[in-house]
Amino acid sequence: MERVTLKVNQGIFSVEEIYLDVDPEQVFVLFVVINTAGECEWSVGSTSVEDNDKIYASVINQEMKQAVLAHALPILINALQIKALQPDSAEDQASYQQALEELAKIEL
């Protein structure tokens, strides 16, 4: 069973607990940050399924990074659309909207 968790923490958006059939021994995370220039930067991390602390190491393999991005990006966009409809504040709504605009530019 697949488990996916969206987290938003101080401008860092992440989709966590991504399990892929191509590597069932690892669990992945997609981190997205909107930098000071307003551009979207993303990275992928992985750790052993058995790692209870979930300390992620950066994924270097480009094919694996693309697989995680293709899997997690639609989930992240959908979750941010929902959060933008029910923000905690106007500032949060602006942040979610900016993230959505930048994420829409990513080509899979």
Side-chain angles (χ1 to χ4, degrees), residues 4-31:
V4 176
T5 305
L6 169 73
K7 293 188 179 177
V8 180
N9 185 12
Q10 297 180 348
I12 300 172
F13 306 97
S14 62
V15 179
E16 302 186 13
E17 299 185 67
I18 302 167
Y19 293 84
L20 300 178
D21 291 339
V22 294
D23 191 350
E25 301 297 317
Q26 298 289 313
V27 62
F28 297 90
V29 60
L30 170 66
F31 292 107

Side-chain angles (χ1 to χ4, degrees), residues 34-90:
I34 307 300
N35 67 23
T36 55
E39 301 164 332
C40 185
E41 297 177 356
W42 62 275
S43 61
V44 173
S46 71
T47 190
S48 168
V49 170
E50 298 173 3
D51 179 7
N52 294 329
D53 295 328
K54 296 294 181 246
I55 299 172
Y56 294 98
S58 183
V59 172
I60 297 172
N61 181 296
Q62 291 300 320
E63 290 178 13
M64 189 60 73
K65 286 171 76 171
Q66 286 295 326
V68 172
L69 181 65
H71 184 79
L73 188 59
I75 295 166
L76 178 59
I77 289 172
N78 185 53
L80 285 172
Q81 287 170 334
I82 292 168
K83 284 195 166 285
L85 293 174
Q86 300 173 337
D88 293 332
S89 68

